[in-house]
Amino acid sequence: MTDPFVSTAWLAEHLGDQDLRILDASWFMPIEGRSGHGEFLERHIPGAVFFDIDAIADHTTDLPHMLPTPEAFAEAAGKLGLSREGTIVAYDSWGVRASARVWWTLRVMGFDNIRVLDGGLKAWLAEGRKVEAGAVTPAPTMVAPKFRPELVRDVEAVKGLVNSQAAQLVDARSGPRFCGEAPEPRPGLRSGHMPGALNTPFDSLINTQGRMRSAPELQAIFEVCGVNLDKPIVTTCGSGVTASVLALGLARLGLDRVAVYDGSWSEWGGRSDTPVETDL
């Protein structure tokens, strides 16, 4: 797999390409008090459309932004004007966060030519590049449903991994949340982690400019956290967003078949039939 990122310079050069689609994936936790869509309307990269991870989701569950069915996703992708033949670039205003979730989602749904803008809107604005404002209505396309189950794990599969240790569970949450020292931001969830899981906080992969660290830096970070890059990996986090950042970082290392536990701690920590450990 080629590097999953494009630079701001590359995107600026290719703005207006007929086969390029740009997705603004900006998303914030409720406690952050910000609106991704509201900020998109205020300013976005020219030609971008807004990808709402909370709207393009499974609405039959109370878990946040779970994957929709392939059929529902195909319909939503068509409304956004997406195509598997063209190049898609996702970005977010944080740097690299929810754009990773959209990158993973599109790959699960059979879109292979998806990239992430390294540094996101943060880097784009820091370089004084052009932005637009207002709503965008793309020309619709026809998208056939596809699904790659090998990139997703559900709660039963993760229970099996806890017992078998057939793959490493790598948690992207902060150290205090992983250890059980800090409460979860979502109410009603237990604190701690899955038995045997490893902790690699997602923001350790991102530099101060909001860009993903280099491959050698990433390799060193994962290895310090005890992750064996030669063995299978499943990533997890609070709700499947920053777990995708870990998967994206691992893809930069050439590990492009890493699976994400979609329900993550929002599901695991809210059930009574899932084992939890703390480091207290």
Side-chain angles (χ1 to χ4, degrees):
M1 177 181 179
T2 58
D3 189 83
F5 291 93
V6 298
S7 67
T8 49
W10 184 95
L11 184 58
E13 181 181 346
H14 289 274
L15 283 181
D17 283 6
Q18 189 172 3
D19 64 346
L20 175 67
R21 297 294 180 268
I22 306 172
L23 301 178
D24 185 322
S26 298
W27 167 89
F28 302 96
M29 289 279 293
I31 59 173
E32 293 178 275
R34 296 172 64 180
S35 165
H37 186 248
E39 294 186 16
F40 170 83
L41 294 175
E42 292 174 3
R43 60 185 181 186
H44 55 261
I45 293 175
V49 296
F50 186 69
F51 189 108
D52 189 338
I53 66 170
D54 288 322
I56 304 175
D58 180 1
H59 298 292
T60 67
T61 174
D62 58 359
L63 295 171
H65 41 252
M66 292 281 284
L67 286 174
T69 65
E71 292 75 18
F73 184 85
E75 181 180 356
K79 290 178 180 178
L80 290 177
L82 303 186
S83 166
R84 292 192 177 91
E85 285 69 49
T87 298
I88 302 171
V89 175
Y91 74 87
D92 64 65
S93 54
W94 195 90
V96 178
R97 188 169 67 172
S99 53
R101 172 74 185 192
V102 171
W103 166 84
W104 171 74
T105 299
L106 282 160
R107 293 186 69 234
V108 170
M109 299 297 177
F111 288 78
D112 294 324
N113 202 9
I114 167 71
R115 300 291 184 267
V116 170
L117 178 63
D118 206 3
L121 187 62
K122 180 179 180 180
W124 187 267
L125 294 173
E127 295 167 0
R129 298 188 185 275
K130 181 182 177 182
V131 292
E132 295 179 341
V136 177
T137 304
T141 55
M142 293 295 294
V143 177
K146 290 186 179 180
F147 189 69
R148 297 178 64 192
E150 69 272 15
L151 297 179
V152 189
R153 295 293 182 274
D154 62 15
V155 65
E156 294 304 323
V158 176
K159 283 182 184 179
L161 291 176
V162 168
N163 293 325
S164 70
Q165 298 185 347
Q168 302 161 99
L169 295 169
V170 185
D171 195 320
R173 292 175 300 154
S174 69
R177 287 173 64 190
F178 178 83
C179 294
E181 298 170 357
E184 288 295 306
R186 292 179 175 83
L189 302 182
R190 294 172 291 168
S191 296
H193 58 265
M194 301 154 192
L198 302 166
N199 184 212
T200 304
F202 87 97
D203 52 3
S204 68
L205 276 55
I206 312 298
N207 68 20
T208 55
Q209 289 78 46
R211 291 183 168 91
M212 182 69 71
R213 296 189 184 277
S214 68
E217 290 175 312
L218 292 172
Q219 181 170 339
I221 290 167
F222 281 113
E223 288 177 352
V224 165
C225 294
V227 180
N228 187 333
L229 299 176
D230 294 323
K231 294 184 177 180
I233 297 169
V234 173
T235 63
T236 182
C237 62
S239 66
V241 174
T242 59
S244 301
V245 177
L246 297 191
L248 182 61
L250 289 162
R252 168 161 274 186
L253 295 176
L255 305 176
D256 63 347
R257 299 181 70 83
V258 170
V260 170
Y261 171 25
D262 194 16
S264 284
W265 202 256
S266 293
E267 181 174 39
W268 193 274
R271 295 174 62 127
S272 60
D273 62 340
T274 48
V276 171
E277 285 184 350
T278 67
D279 295 341
L280 301 179

